[in-house]
Amino acid sequence: MTVAAALLALLGCQSKPTPSAEADIVAVPKSLKTFRDKVDTAMVAVLPYDHERDKYRLKNAQASGLNLEEIGLVDSLLQVCIAEHNRLQSIELRGMRQARPDIPWDSTQFLITLPNYRRQLVPYLNAKGEKEVWVNCFCDKTPYWRKDIVDVDDGGNCFFNLKINLRRRSWFDLMVNGVA
């Protein structure tokens, strides 16, 4: 099983380019307008940008806010991003199962079931003045998550984060934690 843990650590720690290039625009479902009635405050918290806390993860950023439609757009783009991530992970998992059928590969260590994750949204303006949101997701029941960033080492796919550009309707810098 140590081979499996090593492979998971390597796969989780590598930054993979997302299929959404900066020029790509993702279509957002028409149901976005109904999202304002569905913001689950038990699962989503908007935290303000804090220069001291965020200066290393968000370069050249300035504080911004989020309205309900923007939160809905973040949710829609996050769903598309994770669907693509899971598609790619399924292909990788299939290859690993073929290469090493003696290892009982567990798909839950590869795939993300988004409804199980709490989300912290940190809105900011990038150097071009475009609104972006750093999305921090975790399946842990950390009590302080509404006020402070949940930041852990390792933890596998229970912890991941990414950035979303609202103007371009794109995501980038998806980072899924590795397993130690």
Side-chain angles (χ1 to χ4, degrees), residues 58-73:
L58 306 173
K59 305 282 187 208
N60 301 314
Q62 294 179 358
S64 185
L66 278 179
N67 62 39
L68 290 173
E69 281 192 35
E70 290 168 331
I71 293 172
L73 181 56

Side-chain angles (χ1 to χ4, degrees), residues 24-71:
D24 293 344
I25 300 292
V26 175
V28 177
K30 290 183 180 179
S31 62
L32 178 60
K33 291 180 182 176
T34 63
F35 184 82
R36 70 180 54 127
D37 301 325
K38 297 179 183 179
V39 176
D40 185 356
T41 56
M43 299 299 280
V44 177
V46 178
L47 300 175
Y49 170 79
D50 179 290
H51 178 73
E52 280 305 307
R53 180 194 68 205
D54 300 324
K55 64 185 171 188
Y56 297 110
R57 75 173 57 94
L58 306 173
K59 305 282 187 208
N60 301 314
Q62 294 179 358
S64 185
L66 278 179
N67 62 39
L68 290 173
E69 281 192 35
E70 290 168 331
I71 293 172

Side-chain angles (χ1 to χ4, degrees), residues 93-111:
L93 179 58
R94 191 172 24 248
M96 292 168 72
R97 284 178 172 159
Q98 288 174 348
R100 293 295 309 268
D102 56 312
I103 297 175
W105 301 103
D106 182 0
S107 64
T108 61
Q109 294 177 332
F110 294 84
L111 306 178

